[in-house]
Amino acid sequence: MTVLPDDGLSLAAEFPDATHEQWQRLVEGVLRKSGKEASGEAAEDALSTQLEDGLTTRPLYTARETGANGDNDGNGEDTGFPGFTPFIRGGRPEGTSVSGWDVRQRLAGTDPVRVNEAALGDLENGTTSLWLTVGRTGIPADGLARALDGVYLDLAPVTLDAGADYAEAARALLALYAEREVAPEAARASLGADPLGHEARTGEVLDLAEAAALARETAGAWPHVRALTVDALPYHEAGGSAAEELGLSLATGVAYLRALEDGGLGVEAALGQLEFRYAATADQFLTIAKLRAARRLWARVAEVCGAPEAGAQRQHAVTSPVMMTRRDPWVNMLRTTVACMAAGVGGADSVTVLPFDNELGLPDAFARRIARNTSTILLEESHLARVIDPAGGSYYVEQLTTELAGAAWEFFQTVEKAGGLPGALRSGLVAERLATTWAARSKKLAKRREPITGVSEFPLLSEKPVVREPAPAGPTGGLPRVRRDEAYEALRARSDAHLTATGHRPRVFLAALGPAAAHTARATFASNLFQAGGIEPVHDPVSVDPASAAEAYAASGADGMAVLCSSDALYEEQAEAVAAALRSAGATTLFLAGKPGTARDSVDEYVFAGCDAVAVLSSVLDRMGVAS
């Protein structure tokens, strides 16, 4: 124990250490006041949160979860030092502290001239590497030289995303290096060969031997060029969980190692030919743990292959397309900021922040500027990269890393038993597993247990839509691509069509009873709920009573729907009379904002926290005659 000098800054030194059991007893008291009886571990469980993959977030983490000194991963295994096996704390000893992470900007488009303009603008204003879409959904391979005109290829790394055309695109880039006399040791690139990722997206089977041949050529002549990409985004975008994303990335990496060894590369050279790509979400702690777990898992693979020191995983993190919304897209700036921070703290080598309007089409210049400046602010103003492994030692992060790694390894073994990733993809195992995960998550989204700010919570119906030039169509035919907002987007699209056809949105009348103190909470809840489906709530006048309800409803223009909003006490007093007045004025369906069973003889349905919002809103639009 280190004795600090008596400088007047001692922290509670005169108090005895608190125990975990004492804390649990305090929790018991709080729960008791809320009407819940639980003791010991049960009290702690009452404050825990269930995550995907069978993981649980506890309310308190201490040294007992991570080991006596809090310096291991919970299984008695030392997490090591940054840059050393098992690489949990980073693939390089210095981490990103020297120059920060690589700010990698994605360039989508089919016109080499426009892509070149965007690339030069990005590089002049903070971007440090380029990610180009080439081939069927991007610029042609023979347009690569024009797209990179004026780019100093010995300074700016290039990453290619060419799908089935990866060999042609890769050779075009290598030829460009030779043409511009870029020394082989100065060239830094990722050629993006990912046959299994392409199969996952399209269902098209590609020969791994061609990718192995490209890697063999690269390894011999270009020391800092990686031929293959293990892209986990297809599985994340199909609704996969963090553990499933990790497990499938491991299975992909192992399949590529086998192909590379069959193609004549040694284990260490083969390991050096892979770059891994993961999604970074606004769940900051899960993203941090995912990147740390990915390094740990890949280090284990390298160890089994007999090359533990070559197991440092090169990571490229991309802000999640699944979390991006099309309504109120400005909120995406906040989501990507949190995701970028998590990727940096998690130790990603390269980070791509997708522009906030990415799901609407081709991003404009403003969106691209905000995207690259997100990294710049975190690096230059928040100094996020000045600390090596800033999450290291966090009891919660260390334990979450361990549990996530265990769940991912278990799924990886399941995939391997199914014949590896090729077999698991073609048998339907991967699609079925991801569909099951997404179905469970969709229920949480529908019930707003997982809120989407600006979409399922606090939507703004009066907002004008953000319009962008259409982006090139992405690959299809394989795993689906899901979005968190898709169910609500379908409802809003129905409302938009109704607005175009009639000049107004479908409307519901909020019949608030009593003073503001009695009805505000439930009126606000109901207003948010119906707006999430594109239904305009009319709350005028502020409150009604049996005498004024009929006239207020008639003036609202509501489409046969009204919602009673107030306290349980006022429901007992006024609900029956107000409901009768509303029905006399033409209301065909009455909702009550509150627990089911309240005033049940007066109303038809209930809306409450935890109800299936998507089902309720879809039913309401149907009854209003809004076309689907």
Side-chain angles (χ1 to χ4, degrees):
M1 177 178 177
T2 301
V3 179
L4 297 176
D6 184 7
D7 57 2
L9 299 177
S10 60
L11 299 176
E14 67 274 22
F15 294 101
D17 291 339
T19 67
H20 198 92
E21 290 69 25
Q22 286 176 312
W23 175 79
Q24 284 182 342
R25 286 197 292 272
L26 293 174
V27 171
E28 293 169 15
V30 173
L31 291 174
R32 197 173 300 116
K33 292 179 181 178
S34 64
K36 298 179 181 178
E37 288 293 337
S39 61
E41 292 294 331
E44 194 165 343
D45 290 342
L47 299 181
S48 299
T49 302
Q50 299 300 314
L51 306 177
E52 290 179 320
D53 304 311
L55 306 181
T56 301
T57 297
R58 311 286 295 178
L60 179 68
Y61 287 84
T62 65
R64 75 174 190 167
E65 282 81 27
T66 57
N69 297 316
D71 59 357
N72 60 51
D73 67 1
N75 291 324
E77 178 184 25
D78 191 348
T79 55
F81 295 98
F84 295 88
T85 187
F87 301 107
I88 295 173
R89 305 192 63 196
R92 294 173 290 168
E94 75 280 10
T96 56
S97 62
V98 176
S99 57
W101 57 79
D102 169 32
V103 181
R104 183 174 295 178
Q105 190 86 322
R106 186 171 184 269
L107 296 157
T110 58
D111 183 355
V113 175
R114 293 182 62 182
V115 169
N116 176 253
E117 292 174 354
L120 294 178
D122 289 339
L123 290 170
E124 290 172 359
N125 292 282
T127 292
T128 55
S129 73
L130 303 173
W131 179 14
L132 300 174
T133 302
V134 185
R136 303 174 193 177
T137 60
I139 59 175
D142 58 10
L144 200 56
R146 180 65 186 88
L148 294 174
D149 186 30
V151 175
Y152 294 102
L153 296 178
D154 53 344
L155 298 178
V158 175
T159 294
L160 301 179
D161 186 354
D165 303 319
Y166 69 83
E168 180 185 5
R171 291 191 166 86
L173 179 61
L174 295 178
L176 190 60
Y177 282 141
E179 178 185 331
R180 297 189 183 176
E181 299 181 345
V182 177
E185 60 273 11
R188 283 168 171 75
S190 179
L191 302 181
D194 186 18
L196 291 175
H198 178 74
E199 182 177 345
R201 287 205 184 277
T202 66
E204 180 183 1
V205 178
L206 301 178
D207 187 2
L208 298 187
E210 185 175 10
L214 177 63
R216 187 172 61 248
E217 174 186 336
T218 303
W222 305 90
H224 302 297
V225 174
R226 296 172 185 258
L228 280 81
T229 297
V230 177
D231 190 356
L233 289 183
Y235 313 112
H236 171 76
E237 291 186 77
S241 66
E244 289 163 350
E245 185 183 347
L246 290 175
L248 292 168
S249 75
L250 283 185
T252 305
V254 168
Y256 288 164
L257 286 181
R258 292 181 179 129
L260 293 176
E261 288 191 87
D262 290 344
L265 283 181
V267 174
E268 291 192 11
L271 288 166
Q273 284 299 301
L274 305 181
E275 178 175 88
F276 289 73
R277 183 176 296 140
Y278 295 107
T281 73
D283 188 333
Q284 58 184 352
F285 289 111
L286 191 61
T287 295
I288 293 168
K290 180 169 69 175
L291 296 176
R292 300 174 100 245
R295 292 193 294 271
R296 172 66 189 95
L297 293 166
W298 191 242
R300 177 58 179 154
V301 170
E303 181 184 6
V304 171
C305 292
E309 300 305 319
Q313 189 184 75
R314 183 77 179 179
Q315 292 181 334
H316 172 204
V318 182
T319 57
S320 165
V322 176
M323 73 178 179
M324 305 286 268
T325 63
R326 287 158 282 194
R327 306 286 172 160
D328 203 356
W330 317 102
V331 181
N332 290 331
M333 297 184 200
L334 308 179
R335 297 185 179 101
T336 56
T337 298
V338 176
C340 180
M341 183 205 72
V345 172
D349 300 286
S350 301
V351 179
T352 294
V353 175
L354 296 179
F356 73 88
D357 54 357
N358 187 71
E359 297 308 304
L360 300 172
L362 287 176
D364 66 6
F366 170 74
R368 297 177 60 79
R369 178 163 64 92
I370 293 297
R372 61 179 180 259
N373 282 350
T374 300
S375 279
T376 300
I377 288 174
L378 292 172
L379 289 168
E380 304 297 336
E381 297 188 27
S382 297
H383 312 304
L384 201 61
R386 292 193 182 183
V387 177
I388 301 172
D389 186 27
S394 161
Y395 298 146
Y396 174 40
V397 171
E398 299 288 12
Q399 184 66 14
L400 186 58
T401 298
T402 297
E403 294 176 1
L404 185 56
W409 188 263
E410 182 179 350
F411 182 51
F412 164 63
Q413 291 177 312
T414 299
V415 173
E416 286 296 287
K417 289 176 184 176
L421 186 61
L425 278 173
R426 294 160 200 170
S427 70
L429 183 151
V430 172
E432 291 173 9
R433 173 72 177 253
L434 301 186
T436 299
T437 300
W438 180 246
R441 190 176 178 191
S442 294
K443 291 180 180 179
K444 295 180 181 178
L445 290 163
K447 294 184 176 182
R448 304 197 296 177
R449 299 296 189 193
E450 182 181 333
I452 311 173
T453 305
V455 176
S456 67
E457 299 286 348
F458 311 111
L460 183 62
L461 286 186
S462 60
E463 180 189 31
K464 293 182 179 179
V466 177
V467 179
R468 293 289 182 266
E469 178 183 346
T476 58
L479 295 173
R481 302 182 72 171
V482 302
R483 296 292 180 271
R484 286 200 311 160
D485 68 348
E486 58 187 22
Y488 294 97
E489 178 64 24
L491 296 171
R492 293 286 295 273
R494 294 176 66 179
S495 173
D496 289 348
H498 186 79
L499 174 64
T500 300
T502 66
H504 65 83
R505 293 192 182 277
R507 294 172 184 155
V508 62
F509 178 62
L510 301 188
L513 313 182
H519 68 241
T520 296
R522 282 173 169 165
T524 301
F525 164 81
S527 177
N528 275 320
L529 172 67
F530 284 96
Q531 286 185 87
I535 301 168
E536 180 184 350
V538 180
H539 188 185
D540 182 29
V542 173
S543 65
V544 298
D545 55 27
S548 62
E551 182 180 355
Y553 175 81
S556 71
D559 297 292
M561 306 284 169
V563 189
L564 273 61
C565 305
S566 193
S567 65
D568 290 347
L570 281 174
Y571 287 150
E572 292 296 327
E573 295 176 11
Q574 300 185 28
E576 184 176 356
V578 171
L582 292 170
R583 291 189 192 280
S584 70
T588 56
T589 303
L590 296 185
F591 291 87
L592 183 142
K595 55 188 178 182
T598 305
R600 61 179 174 271
D601 295 330
S602 305
V603 299
D604 303 300
E605 296 186 33
Y606 299 86
V607 289
F608 52 91
C611 70
D612 189 327
V614 171
V616 168
L617 296 170
S618 181
S619 173
V620 169
L621 289 174
D622 289 344
R623 280 181 278 185
M624 287 179 170
V626 178
S628 59

PDB file of all heavy atoms in Angstrom, residues 603-625:
ATOM      1  N   VAL A 603     -64.125   2.983 -22.278  1.00  0.00           N
ATOM      2  CA  VAL A 603     -63.170   3.104 -23.385  1.00  0.00           C
ATOM      3  C   VAL A 603     -63.015   1.773 -24.100  1.00  0.00           C
ATOM      4  O   VAL A 603     -63.426   0.717 -23.608  1.00  0.00           O
ATOM      5  CB  VAL A 603     -61.796   3.599 -22.888  1.00  0.00           C
ATOM      6  CG1 VAL A 603     -61.916   4.974 -22.252  1.00  0.00           C
ATOM      7  CG2 VAL A 603     -61.172   2.605 -21.910  1.00  0.00           C
ATOM      8  N   ASP A 604     -62.386   1.843 -25.298  1.00  0.00           N
ATOM      9  CA  ASP A 604     -62.207   0.642 -26.122  1.00  0.00           C
ATOM     10  C   ASP A 604     -60.830   0.011 -25.943  1.00  0.00           C
ATOM     11  O   ASP A 604     -60.705  -1.212 -25.945  1.00  0.00           O
ATOM     12  CB  ASP A 604     -62.407   0.999 -27.597  1.00  0.00           C
ATOM     13  CG  ASP A 604     -63.771   1.609 -27.847  1.00  0.00           C
ATOM     14  OD1 ASP A 604     -64.771   0.935 -27.565  1.00  0.00           O
ATOM     15  OD2 ASP A 604     -63.821   2.772 -28.302  1.00  0.00           O
ATOM     16  N   GLU A 605     -59.796   0.858 -25.840  1.00  0.00           N
ATOM     17  CA  GLU A 605     -58.432   0.341 -25.776  1.00  0.00           C
ATOM     18  C   GLU A 605     -57.587   1.217 -24.857  1.00  0.00           C
ATOM     19  O   GLU A 605     -57.997   2.322 -24.473  1.00  0.00           O
ATOM     20  CB  GLU A 605     -57.806   0.276 -27.170  1.00  0.00           C
ATOM     21  CG  GLU A 605     -58.509  -0.687 -28.117  1.00  0.00           C
ATOM     22  CD  GLU A 605     -57.777  -0.838 -29.433  1.00  0.00           C
ATOM     23  OE1 GLU A 605     -56.538  -0.766 -29.423  1.00  0.00           O
ATOM     24  OE2 GLU A 605     -58.448  -1.020 -30.461  1.00  0.00           O
ATOM     25  N   TYR A 606     -56.379   0.707 -24.567  1.00  0.00           N
ATOM     26  CA  TYR A 606     -55.469   1.411 -23.674  1.00  0.00           C
ATOM     27  C   TYR A 606     -54.111   1.591 -24.347  1.00  0.00           C
ATOM     28  O   TYR A 606     -53.658   0.739 -25.125  1.00  0.00           O
ATOM     29  CB  TYR A 606     -55.275   0.620 -22.373  1.00  0.00           C
ATOM     30  CG  TYR A 606     -56.546   0.416 -21.586  1.00  0.00           C
ATOM     31  CD1 TYR A 606     -57.392  -0.655 -21.868  1.00  0.00           C
ATOM     32  CD2 TYR A 606     -56.915   1.310 -20.588  1.00  0.00           C
ATOM     33  CE1 TYR A 606     -58.576  -0.836 -21.166  1.00  0.00           C
ATOM     34  CE2 TYR A 606     -58.095   1.132 -19.876  1.00  0.00           C
ATOM     35  CZ  TYR A 606     -58.920   0.063 -20.174  1.00  0.00           C
ATOM     36  OH  TYR A 606     -60.088  -0.119 -19.478  1.00  0.00           O
ATOM     37  N   VAL A 607     -53.474   2.697 -24.038  1.00  0.00           N
ATOM     38  CA  VAL A 607     -52.081   2.915 -24.422  1.00  0.00           C
ATOM     39  C   VAL A 607     -51.306   3.180 -23.142  1.00  0.00           C
ATOM     40  O   VAL A 607     -51.750   3.948 -22.286  1.00  0.00           O
ATOM     41  CB  VAL A 607     -51.923   4.073 -25.431  1.00  0.00           C
ATOM     42  CG1 VAL A 607     -52.469   3.680 -26.786  1.00  0.00           C
ATOM     43  CG2 VAL A 607     -52.590   5.348 -24.943  1.00  0.00           C
ATOM     44  N   PHE A 608     -50.168   2.536 -23.030  1.00  0.00           N
ATOM     45  CA  PHE A 608     -49.410   2.614 -21.782  1.00  0.00           C
ATOM     46  C   PHE A 608     -47.950   2.300 -22.069  1.00  0.00           C
ATOM     47  O   PHE A 608     -47.610   1.753 -23.138  1.00  0.00           O
ATOM     48  CB  PHE A 608     -49.977   1.613 -20.760  1.00  0.00           C
ATOM     49  CG  PHE A 608     -50.108   0.210 -21.294  1.00  0.00           C
ATOM     50  CD1 PHE A 608     -49.077  -0.711 -21.153  1.00  0.00           C
ATOM     51  CD2 PHE A 608     -51.266  -0.169 -21.973  1.00  0.00           C
ATOM     52  CE1 PHE A 608     -49.199  -1.996 -21.678  1.00  0.00           C
ATOM     53  CE2 PHE A 608     -51.392  -1.456 -22.498  1.00  0.00           C
ATOM     54  CZ  PHE A 608     -50.359  -2.371 -22.346  1.00  0.00           C
ATOM     55  N   ALA A 609     -47.079   2.652 -21.131  1.00  0.00           N
ATOM     56  CA  ALA A 609     -45.655   2.369 -21.283  1.00  0.00           C
ATOM     57  C   ALA A 609     -45.451   0.866 -21.395  1.00  0.00           C
ATOM     58  O   ALA A 609     -45.894   0.105 -20.541  1.00  0.00           O
ATOM     59  CB  ALA A 609     -44.880   2.926 -20.094  1.00  0.00           C
ATOM     60  N   GLY A 610     -44.811   0.421 -22.474  1.00  0.00           N
ATOM     61  CA  GLY A 610     -44.584  -0.999 -22.691  1.00  0.00           C
ATOM     62  C   GLY A 610     -45.570  -1.638 -23.636  1.00  0.00           C
ATOM     63  O   GLY A 610     -45.429  -2.816 -23.983  1.00  0.00           O
ATOM     64  N   CYS A 611     -46.584  -0.883 -24.094  1.00  0.00           N
ATOM     65  CA  CYS A 611     -47.506  -1.457 -25.076  1.00  0.00           C
ATOM     66  C   CYS A 611     -46.787  -1.577 -26.421  1.00  0.00           C
ATOM     67  O   CYS A 611     -45.759  -0.927 -26.659  1.00  0.00           O
ATOM     68  CB  CYS A 611     -48.761  -0.610 -25.221  1.00  0.00           C
ATOM     69  SG  CYS A 611     -48.522   0.992 -26.034  1.00  0.00           S
ATOM     70  N   ASP A 612     -47.302  -2.418 -27.294  1.00  0.00           N
ATOM     71  CA  ASP A 612     -46.714  -2.589 -28.624  1.00  0.00           C
ATOM     72  C   ASP A 612     -47.118  -1.382 -29.475  1.00  0.00           C
ATOM     73  O   ASP A 612     -48.192  -1.356 -30.086  1.00  0.00           O
ATOM     74  CB  ASP A 612     -47.199  -3.885 -29.261  1.00  0.00           C
ATOM     75  CG  ASP A 612     -46.453  -4.226 -30.538  1.00  0.00           C
ATOM     76  OD1 ASP A 612     -46.059  -3.296 -31.261  1.00  0.00           O
ATOM     77  OD2 ASP A 612     -46.261  -5.414 -30.822  1.00  0.00           O
ATOM     78  N   ALA A 613     -46.260  -0.381 -29.495  1.00  0.00           N
ATOM     79  CA  ALA A 613     -46.589   0.874 -30.171  1.00  0.00           C
ATOM     80  C   ALA A 613     -46.813   0.663 -31.660  1.00  0.00           C
ATOM     81  O   ALA A 613     -47.735   1.252 -32.250  1.00  0.00           O
ATOM     82  CB  ALA A 613     -45.477   1.895 -29.942  1.00  0.00           C
ATOM     83  N   VAL A 614     -45.987  -0.168 -32.281  1.00  0.00           N
ATOM     84  CA  VAL A 614     -46.123  -0.383 -33.724  1.00  0.00           C
ATOM     85  C   VAL A 614     -47.463  -1.021 -34.046  1.00  0.00           C
ATOM     86  O   VAL A 614     -48.161  -0.615 -34.988  1.00  0.00           O
ATOM     87  CB  VAL A 614     -44.962  -1.253 -34.249  1.00  0.00           C
ATOM     88  CG1 VAL A 614     -45.215  -1.669 -35.697  1.00  0.00           C
ATOM     89  CG2 VAL A 614     -43.644  -0.488 -34.151  1.00  0.00           C
ATOM     90  N   ALA A 615     -47.869  -2.008 -33.258  1.00  0.00           N
ATOM     91  CA  ALA A 615     -49.156  -2.667 -33.498  1.00  0.00           C
ATOM     92  C   ALA A 615     -50.316  -1.702 -33.270  1.00  0.00           C
ATOM     93  O   ALA A 615     -51.265  -1.659 -34.061  1.00  0.00           O
ATOM     94  CB  ALA A 615     -49.294  -3.884 -32.585  1.00  0.00           C
ATOM     95  N   VAL A 616     -50.249  -0.915 -32.205  1.00  0.00           N
ATOM     96  CA  VAL A 616     -51.312   0.051 -31.907  1.00  0.00           C
ATOM     97  C   VAL A 616     -51.435   1.074 -33.029  1.00  0.00           C
ATOM     98  O   VAL A 616     -52.539   1.346 -33.540  1.00  0.00           O
ATOM     99  CB  VAL A 616     -51.040   0.758 -30.567  1.00  0.00           C
ATOM    100  CG1 VAL A 616     -51.978   1.954 -30.389  1.00  0.00           C
ATOM    101  CG2 VAL A 616     -51.210  -0.209 -29.403  1.00  0.00           C
ATOM    102  N   LEU A 617     -50.314   1.643 -33.432  1.00  0.00           N
ATOM    103  CA  LEU A 617     -50.335   2.704 -34.442  1.00  0.00           C
ATOM    104  C   LEU A 617     -50.768   2.177 -35.801  1.00  0.00           C
ATOM    105  O   LEU A 617     -51.497   2.849 -36.534  1.00  0.00           O
ATOM    106  CB  LEU A 617     -48.956   3.354 -34.526  1.00  0.00           C
ATOM    107  CG  LEU A 617     -48.501   4.084 -33.260  1.00  0.00           C
ATOM    108  CD1 LEU A 617     -47.036   4.474 -33.353  1.00  0.00           C
ATOM    109  CD2 LEU A 617     -49.369   5.311 -33.015  1.00  0.00           C
ATOM    110  N   SER A 618     -50.311   0.980 -36.138  1.00  0.00           N
ATOM    111  CA  SER A 618     -50.723   0.385 -37.408  1.00  0.00           C
ATOM    112  C   SER A 618     -52.227   0.151 -37.418  1.00  0.00           C
ATOM    113  O   SER A 618     -52.916   0.437 -38.419  1.00  0.00           O
ATOM    114  CB  SER A 618     -49.979  -0.942 -37.614  1.00  0.00           C
ATOM    115  OG  SER A 618     -50.347  -1.534 -38.839  1.00  0.00           O
ATOM    116  N   SER A 619     -52.769  -0.334 -36.293  1.00  0.00           N
ATOM    117  CA  SER A 619     -54.204  -0.565 -36.190  1.00  0.00           C
ATOM    118  C   SER A 619     -54.991   0.743 -36.298  1.00  0.00           C
ATOM    119  O   SER A 619     -56.033   0.804 -36.964  1.00  0.00           O
ATOM    120  CB  SER A 619     -54.513  -1.259 -34.860  1.00  0.00           C
ATOM    121  OG  SER A 619     -55.901  -1.365 -34.645  1.00  0.00           O
ATOM    122  N   VAL A 620     -54.482   1.789 -35.657  1.00  0.00           N
ATOM    123  CA  VAL A 620     -55.159   3.086 -35.703  1.00  0.00           C
ATOM    124  C   VAL A 620     -55.204   3.620 -37.135  1.00  0.00           C
ATOM    125  O   VAL A 620     -56.249   4.098 -37.611  1.00  0.00           O
ATOM    126  CB  VAL A 620     -54.469   4.087 -34.763  1.00  0.00           C
ATOM    127  CG1 VAL A 620     -54.979   5.499 -35.005  1.00  0.00           C
ATOM    128  CG2 VAL A 620     -54.696   3.691 -33.312  1.00  0.00           C
ATOM    129  N   LEU A 621     -54.089   3.541 -37.844  1.00  0.00           N
ATOM    130  CA  LEU A 621     -54.058   4.019 -39.228  1.00  0.00           C
ATOM    131  C   LEU A 621     -55.011   3.207 -40.095  1.00  0.00           C
ATOM    132  O   LEU A 621     -55.686   3.755 -40.990  1.00  0.00           O
ATOM    133  CB  LEU A 621     -52.627   3.942 -39.771  1.00  0.00           C
ATOM    134  CG  LEU A 621     -51.628   4.949 -39.202  1.00  0.00           C
ATOM    135  CD1 LEU A 621     -50.226   4.665 -39.720  1.00  0.00           C
ATOM    136  CD2 LEU A 621     -52.023   6.378 -39.539  1.00  0.00           C
ATOM    137  N   ASP A 622     -55.078   1.914 -39.837  1.00  0.00           N
ATOM    138  CA  ASP A 622     -56.021   1.082 -40.597  1.00  0.00           C
ATOM    139  C   ASP A 622     -57.456   1.558 -40.380  1.00  0.00           C
ATOM    140  O   ASP A 622     -58.235   1.689 -41.325  1.00  0.00           O
ATOM    141  CB  ASP A 622     -55.891  -0.385 -40.163  1.00  0.00           C
ATOM    142  CG  ASP A 622     -54.602  -1.034 -40.631  1.00  0.00           C
ATOM    143  OD1 ASP A 622     -53.951  -0.473 -41.536  1.00  0.00           O
ATOM    144  OD2 ASP A 622     -54.240  -2.093 -40.085  1.00  0.00           O
ATOM    145  N   ARG A 623     -57.818   1.793 -39.120  1.00  0.00           N
ATOM    146  CA  ARG A 623     -59.188   2.189 -38.807  1.00  0.00           C
ATOM    147  C   ARG A 623     -59.506   3.591 -39.301  1.00  0.00           C
ATOM    148  O   ARG A 623     -60.655   3.938 -39.535  1.00  0.00           O
ATOM    149  CB  ARG A 623     -59.420   2.073 -37.299  1.00  0.00           C
ATOM    150  CG  ARG A 623     -59.703   0.636 -36.868  1.00  0.00           C
ATOM    151  CD  ARG A 623     -59.955   0.523 -35.387  1.00  0.00           C
ATOM    152  NE  ARG A 623     -58.711   0.476 -34.638  1.00  0.00           N
ATOM    153  CZ  ARG A 623     -58.652   0.280 -33.321  1.00  0.00           C
ATOM    154  NH1 ARG A 623     -59.756   0.158 -32.613  1.00  0.00           N
ATOM    155  NH2 ARG A 623     -57.480   0.226 -32.709  1.00  0.00           N
ATOM    156  N   MET A 624     -58.448   4.412 -39.457  1.00  0.00           N
ATOM    157  CA  MET A 624     -58.661   5.748 -40.013  1.00  0.00           C
ATOM    158  C   MET A 624     -58.770   5.719 -41.535  1.00  0.00           C
ATOM    159  O   MET A 624     -59.035   6.750 -42.163  1.00  0.00           O
ATOM    160  CB  MET A 624     -57.498   6.660 -39.611  1.00  0.00           C
ATOM    161  CG  MET A 624     -57.497   7.069 -38.150  1.00  0.00           C
ATOM    162  SD  MET A 624     -56.056   8.133 -37.808  1.00  0.00           S
ATOM    163  CE  MET A 624     -56.442   8.723 -36.156  1.00  0.00           C
ATOM    164  N   GLY A 625     -58.503   4.553 -42.117  1.00  0.00           N
ATOM    165  CA  GLY A 625     -58.580   4.447 -43.567  1.00  0.00           C
ATOM    166  C   GLY A 625     -57.341   4.942 -44.277  1.00  0.00           C
ATOM    167  O   GLY A 625     -57.391   5.240 -45.482  1.00  0.00           O
TER     168      GLY A 625
END
